[in-house]
Amino acid sequence: MPTTPPNKTILLIGASRGLGYAMAAEYLKHGWNVLGTVRGMARTLLHDLADKSGNRVEIETVDICEPDQIAALRARLSGRVFDVLFGNAGITNNPRETIGEVTTEEFVRVMVTNALSPMRVIEALHDLVSPAGTIGVMSSGQGSVSNNMTGMREVYRGSKAALNMFMRSFAARHSTDSRAMLLMAPGWVRTDMGGPDGRLSIEESVPNLVKVLLSVQGTPGLQYLDYLGRTIPW
Ligand SMILES: NC(=O)c1ccc[n+]([C@@H]2O[C@H](COP(=O)([O-])OP(=O)(O)OC[C@H]3O[C@@H](n4cnc5c(N)ncnc54)[C@H](OP(=O)(O)O)[C@@H]3O)[C@@H](O)[C@H]2O)c1
């Protein structure tokens, strides 16, 4: 059963597959409309979902690492109002590669995609989110500095810790903002990125994650939460 009234819309960045696609499907189940983005012109799972959705899914394109594409998306969405803006797009590198081993090129690729580009999306699009809305971005438990007792996934961890810091700066700059802000950790999930050894199925993570996103609506200020709504130490 839908838990929120219809006619609410999420702008979901990176919804072609994995967690982003599953979030789109889950928001539909809650009675929301979805404007999801993909990269390029290839057909994706989101297109199949749109075909079955009765016009409740719109598809836009953006590569978050291309500032011109973010600006063009902003221009195309001018005049629209969204209840949630959520940046899901992200990548990883070889998790075994230490900071001593990674090439500069690979370091830059991960940091630009996971830390700089999601913030560029938020900076460019946040004014499309209603005063009672939510601005969220997919972080990771790996982004917690306090919880890092094991190393591994060093570059990825660094990129998500940087994302957390940039989002805190954004929240500090908008300290009187009425909107909820969220850094979300989905758990280790079996997707293309998470791989087959992930602790959680998409079905164990995403419906809970969406419940958390729905529950913070109307609560101003930034929170760093996992898919069960538990606060993660910075
Ligand atoms: N899976 C996990 O265990 C886990 C745990 C913690 C956090 N996360 C985070 O959750 C998010 C989604 O992960 P996932 O497991 O669903 O990964 P995934 O299956 O690899 O999907 C990644 C998504 O990000 C999109 N993307 C990547 N680079 C992009 C770019 N430059 N511009 C636009 N879209 C881009 C991909 O689009 P294309 O289809 O075009 O490549 C795809 O939709 C990521 O931010 C990830 O860091 C995942």
Side-chain angles (χ1 to χ4, degrees), residues 11-23 37 64 85-91 113-114 118 121-122 136-139 156 160 163 184 186 193 206 209:
L11 172 52
L12 184 51
I13 306 297
S16 59
R17 59 193 167 95
L19 299 177
Y21 164 74
M23 284 180 69
T37 73
I64 63 168
L85 164 62
F86 192 85
N88 168 71
I91 58 166
T113 307
N114 287 359
V121 167
I122 287 172
V137 62
M138 196 70 98
S139 180
Y156 180 78
K160 294 294 187 178
L163 173 66
M184 192 79 234
M193 181 189 293
V206 167
L209 183 154

Side-chain angles (χ1 to χ4, degrees), residues 44-86:
T44 71
L45 289 173
L46 190 66
H47 294 82
D48 296 340
L49 189 68
D51 287 350
K52 293 181 288 191
S53 76
N55 293 326
R56 287 201 292 138
V57 175
E58 293 171 79
I59 301 180
E60 267 288 357
T61 54
V62 68
D63 183 325
I64 63 168
C65 295
E66 299 292 338
D68 291 352
Q69 291 191 24
I70 296 174
L73 176 65
R74 174 66 187 79
R76 291 196 297 275
L77 296 179
S78 202
R80 297 284 300 263
V81 179
F82 296 94
D83 300 284
V84 175
L85 164 62
F86 192 85

Side-chain angles (χ1 to χ4, degrees), residues 22 24 29 32 40 53 58 74 76 92 99-100 110 118 134 145-146 171 173 183-184 188 191-192 207 229:
K29 285 187 196 158
W32 284 52
S53 76
E58 293 171 79
R74 174 66 187 79
R76 291 196 297 275
T92 188
I99 194 66
V110 176
T134 300
V145 173
S146 319
R173 249 189 293 127
L183 286 156
M184 192 79 234
W188 183 16
T191 61
D192 292 341

